[in-house]
Amino acid sequence: MDIRKKFLIPAVVASMLVGGAFSSVAMAQQNPDLTVSISKTEKVIDGQSFLISPEAVGKITDEELKAISKQASGSGDIIISNVTESTTSNVSSQQNVITPNAWYDLYIIWDISKQVTQRDTPLAAQQITSVGQSQERTINTTFKLSANVSASVTVPASLKTSIEAGLASEISQSISTKYSGPKVGSGISSYVFWITPFVNRGTWNATGKGNLSGDPHGPYSGSWQEPNKFVEWTQVIR
């Protein structure tokens, strides 16, 4: 449900959630702790409280929230501040033309099919930083996650490239942010800032036919993984 309430949050989170109330990030950073009236979405799932910023609403599922809850330690509130999504992937059957191995073939037509076996699978959360009371910390870093294709045998490099072409190739999240900790006496000992990658996984199969020869190539099979999204979140440690 959408609510308006007063909640003590770090400056960096405030700057992302407040919207019109504080249009300048610099304004937020001048006050390590802000008690402000903000519009946000609050959810409670399996006893865990989540505060979801407007930027993240509609971009994160309950199952993803549950996965983040399992990665968090303690029982403090979790603030979902940002979600970076990958581009839509194409996992349907497709034909790809690549350079042939045989001299008498003009090209090889590959018939590639992909099947999704897992969606929105979380990888290990990576800590961005932890900020204690009355502390500030500036972080400049980039998180990247790329697609990968594997097989039980060596496959032609061009076939691997063709398989990767149907996947979301890479997702990247650059962070250049000043993070502020809670105020002394707030009852909060620290804020811990995290980013969790989510991926899709599946299997693939490919057979080829040479032109002009008609010679068969393959079959080949294996697995693939593509990046789905990055979720930035903050845990309030009391």
Side-chain angles (χ1 to χ4, degrees):
M1 58 179 176
D2 291 327
I3 62 171
R4 298 183 68 87
K5 62 181 287 188
K6 290 185 180 295
F7 191 80
L8 194 63
I9 55 177
V12 64
V13 177
S15 68
M16 290 185 283
L17 299 185
V18 173
F22 288 85
S23 60
S24 170
V25 173
M27 281 184 64
Q29 292 173 346
Q30 292 171 3
N31 300 277
D33 284 277
L34 300 175
T35 303
V36 294
S37 181
I38 61 176
S39 178
K40 61 189 174 299
T41 298
E42 183 177 44
K43 272 193 172 185
V44 178
I45 301 177
D46 295 338
Q48 173 66 60
S49 177
F50 296 91
L51 300 174
I52 304 174
S53 74
E55 291 79 4
V57 170
K59 297 180 180 180
I60 187 166
T61 66
D62 287 357
E63 290 303 313
E64 290 167 344
L65 291 175
K66 289 179 183 180
I68 288 174
S69 178
K70 292 178 181 179
Q71 293 180 337
S73 59
S75 57
D77 293 318
I78 294 175
I79 303 167
I80 307 297
S81 55
N82 189 42
V83 176
T84 301
E85 298 177 293
S86 67
T87 57
T88 302
S89 62
N90 174 18
V91 295
S92 61
S93 297
Q94 54 190 292
Q95 288 188 332
N96 295 269
V97 177
I98 64 175
T99 303
N101 294 322
W103 67 269
Y104 47 83
D105 278 333
L106 298 177
Y107 53 82
I108 298 174
I109 298 177
W110 289 99
D111 184 22
I112 303 171
S113 64
K114 302 188 187 80
Q115 298 80 37
V116 180
T117 57
Q118 295 178 359
R119 290 191 183 274
D120 299 333
T121 301
L123 303 184
Q126 302 175 59
Q127 188 178 119
I128 301 171
T129 190
S130 177
V131 188
Q133 290 185 351
S134 297
Q135 293 180 345
E136 288 186 345
R137 191 165 293 166
T138 299
I139 301 297
N140 293 284
T141 189
T142 300
F143 295 91
K144 291 184 179 181
L145 186 64
S146 300
N148 67 70
V149 173
S150 61
S152 57
V153 298
T154 302
V155 300
S158 50
L159 171 58
K160 183 178 178 182
T161 299
S162 296
I163 298 169
E164 290 173 339
L167 304 175
S169 60
E170 182 180 273
I171 187 170
S172 177
Q173 178 62 25
S174 295
I175 294 174
S176 181
T177 306
K178 179 186 287 185
Y179 294 92
S180 298
K183 185 178 180 180
V184 174
S186 65
I188 301 173
S189 63
S190 65
Y191 298 119
V192 186
F193 300 89
W194 298 87
I195 187 167
T196 297
F198 286 82
V199 300
N200 297 326
R201 290 175 174 150
T203 58
W204 61 268
N205 294 273
T207 57
K209 180 181 291 187
N211 185 311
L212 303 165
S213 70
D215 290 347
H217 294 261
Y220 296 103
S221 63
S223 60
W224 55 266
Q225 175 178 287
E226 67 173 349
N228 185 25
K229 64 181 66 173
F230 276 128
V231 178
E232 293 176 59
W233 55 282
T234 307
Q235 187 169 21
V236 178
I237 307 298
R238 299 185 180 276

